[in-house]
Amino acid sequence: MQAWQIGKIVERALLEDLPFEDLTSELLIEDELHGEAYFLAKENLVVCGIPVVEAVFRKIDEKVELFFQVKEGEEVLKGTKFGIARGKVKSLLKGERVALNFLQHLSGIATAVRRMQKKLSPYNIILLDTRKTIPGLKLLQKYAVRVGGGQNHRFSLSDGILIKDNHIKACGGLKKVLEKLNKVPHYIAVEIEVKNLNELSLVLKSEANISAVLLDNFSKEDIALALTMIKKSGKKILVEVSGGVKEESLDNFLIEGINFVSSGEITHSVKAVDISFKVKKVWKA
């Protein structure tokens, strides 16, 4: 994630929240008033978004100073004051909400991913994100997944071949799709989604160059059968499981032999963590 990419996202966010001026601060706050504020964790969390917070305040006022007592990706306990901002009070107040929106959302993703990956790691399973992201925030959300300890799936449709149910329907069925895959060069990775064990059997019997299968909405019992079928086939195929993967349902996917579990929830509907930004003291410069 490059600084210029963060900058563009921050610019759009500030334009939404600060189209021309902070009317309240202009009315109440004297221009020469300086202050110090702190970031407070109001629950246990994984900190994620420090570079974005820095970009927010840098766009508003380059003279604002930020000091964080933690590193990106570090776990902090409820009640921890993990960062300080110093500068003009007007500047601190202008950046407060946008900075917190990014920090709470990205830390929410990293925190949820960290908890889930800790449960998956003993089974050698990697948590993947999906393309189910909030438009305009994909780059930051996928960054937060990595900070939390997960890995990224495709960033875009240009990043690889992933054949899903609508592709299969549009082509006239799985058999026709598999025939077309014979034209794919051996060096291009291909992943294909299957809905049941019969579809998996067709894939395993095919001569097509398949790198991975995506078991979509399989029951725990069928996942186990699918893993047995793949092992018996002798093919070196990675196994991804998706469909209903949430933190509370993760126990259903703790199965040896699965390589990846993918979840859209960790980006499109994750709960933000609770972080406060409190002005601690003010003075006239």
Side-chain angles (χ1 to χ4, degrees):
M1 187 171 63
Q2 302 297 315
W4 67 267
Q5 294 171 310
I6 298 173
K8 284 192 171 184
I9 296 171
V10 166
E11 278 183 12
R12 290 196 297 269
L14 288 173
L15 185 61
E16 287 178 341
D17 200 50
L18 197 67
F20 59 93
E21 198 49 82
D22 175 0
L23 296 180
T24 309
S25 295
E26 287 300 321
L27 174 67
L28 299 178
I29 308 300
E30 297 174 27
D31 193 55
E32 65 271 21
L33 201 63
H34 283 61
E36 179 178 294
Y38 59 85
F39 293 90
L40 173 68
K42 300 185 76 174
E43 60 182 286
N44 298 342
L45 57 89
V46 175
V47 176
C48 180
I50 291 174
V52 188
V53 171
E54 290 172 339
V56 168
F57 284 106
R58 190 162 54 244
K59 288 284 183 183
I60 290 172
D61 182 351
E62 291 186 349
K63 292 184 178 180
V64 170
E65 297 178 299
L66 291 167
F67 307 92
F68 285 94
Q69 288 79 46
V70 297
K71 295 180 180 178
E72 190 83 333
E74 190 171 331
E75 298 179 20
V76 300
L77 298 176
K78 177 180 179 180
T80 302
K81 295 177 182 178
F82 62 89
I84 294 172
R86 294 195 191 108
K88 283 188 175 183
V89 174
K90 281 185 180 180
S91 299
L92 299 180
L93 297 179
K94 284 178 183 179
E96 172 188 359
R97 179 40 53 197
V98 173
L100 279 179
N101 284 347
F102 281 122
L103 190 61
Q104 290 176 313
H105 179 62
L106 298 180
S107 295
I109 293 173
T111 301
V113 169
R114 182 71 55 84
R115 288 196 300 260
M116 293 173 72
Q117 188 59 63
K118 282 181 177 179
K119 293 188 73 172
L120 292 168
S121 290
Y123 297 85
N124 296 312
I125 301 172
I126 295 170
L127 179 64
L128 296 178
D129 55 25
T130 70
R131 285 173 43 249
K132 295 177 182 177
T133 54
I134 297 172
L137 293 180
K138 181 188 291 185
L139 182 76
L140 295 183
Q141 290 186 311
K142 284 182 170 284
Y143 163 74
V145 169
R146 298 195 304 275
V147 170
Q151 291 186 13
N152 298 145
H153 209 298
R154 298 183 299 172
F155 267 80
S156 70
L157 293 173
S158 303
D159 289 335
I161 297 175
L162 173 53
I163 301 165
K164 303 198 75 172
D165 55 345
N166 282 334
H167 299 108
I168 294 169
K169 180 72 173 179
C171 287
L174 183 57
K175 288 184 178 180
K176 291 188 177 181
V177 168
L178 292 171
E179 289 172 5
K180 290 188 176 185
L181 288 180
N182 289 324
K183 302 176 184 178
V184 178
H186 70 279
Y187 54 82
I188 297 180
V190 176
E191 183 173 6
I192 188 165
E193 177 184 279
V194 294
K195 294 290 187 183
N196 52 56
L197 294 172
N198 289 333
E199 289 188 353
L200 175 62
S201 180
L202 286 175
V203 170
L204 294 176
K205 290 175 182 177
S206 168
E207 295 300 319
N209 175 34
I210 307 292
S211 305
V213 290
L214 173 59
L215 310 180
D216 187 50
N217 284 300
F218 273 47
S219 66
K220 193 170 185 177
E221 292 73 24
D222 280 352
I223 291 173
L225 289 171
L227 292 171
T228 299
M229 289 171 62
I230 293 168
K231 186 175 182 180
K232 285 183 177 179
S233 76
K235 293 190 173 183
K236 293 182 179 180
I237 296 178
L238 296 172
V239 178
E240 177 184 345
V241 175
S242 72
V245 178
K246 302 179 180 180
E247 190 170 356
E248 58 268 27
S249 66
L250 206 58
D251 287 348
N252 295 326
F253 307 99
L254 302 180
I255 303 171
E256 294 278 0
I258 295 174
N259 300 106
F260 307 101
V261 168
S262 56
S263 172
E265 183 175 85
I266 60 176
T267 49
H268 70 63
S269 57
V270 71
K271 181 181 179 295
V273 293
D274 194 358
I275 300 171
S276 288
F277 182 78
K278 296 293 185 182
V279 174
K280 180 180 179 181
K281 57 184 178 181
V282 297
W283 63 89
K284 285 189 177 182

